[in-house]
Amino acid sequence: MIVDHLGRALVTAMVTLVESVESGRDAERLALNTLEEIAYLLGQMNSDERQEFRDLLERLAAAEPERADFIHSLPGALGLGGES
């Protein structure tokens, strides 16, 4: 279920942010590791879930035009592009 994948990715991001504030660790390395983990977690979606995710991103891009280019780039950046 797409909600499970998105929930795990959100928890990963939030834990990392809290840990980085508390520990003062290298922010750049921590950010890259977190992005890789999020990509891995979302990469576990099946093709139907990936399509649902892309549809969700389309709705978000329409609702947030100032971020639309970034939002449209996410599937490719996460290694989820190329499926229809």
Side-chain angles (χ1 to χ4, degrees), residues 28-43:
E28 184 177 346
R29 188 186 77 228
L30 193 59
L32 289 173
N33 289 344
T34 301
L35 290 170
E36 289 173 356
E37 187 171 354
I38 289 170
Y40 169 77
L41 291 168
L42 295 179

Side-chain angles (χ1 to χ4, degrees), residues 1-8 45-46 49 52:
M1 195 171 198
I2 188 173
V3 173
D4 296 334
H5 298 289
L6 294 175
R8 282 193 292 276
M45 293 186 290
N46 64 39
E49 292 167 332
E52 187 178 350

Side-chain angles (χ1 to χ4, degrees), residues 44-63:
Q44 295 178 347
M45 293 186 290
N46 64 39
S47 62
D48 289 339
E49 292 167 332
R50 288 177 186 211
Q51 184 59 52
E52 187 178 350
F53 180 65
R54 285 191 296 275
D55 294 343
L56 168 64
L57 292 178
E58 283 300 320
R59 292 191 303 273
L60 291 173

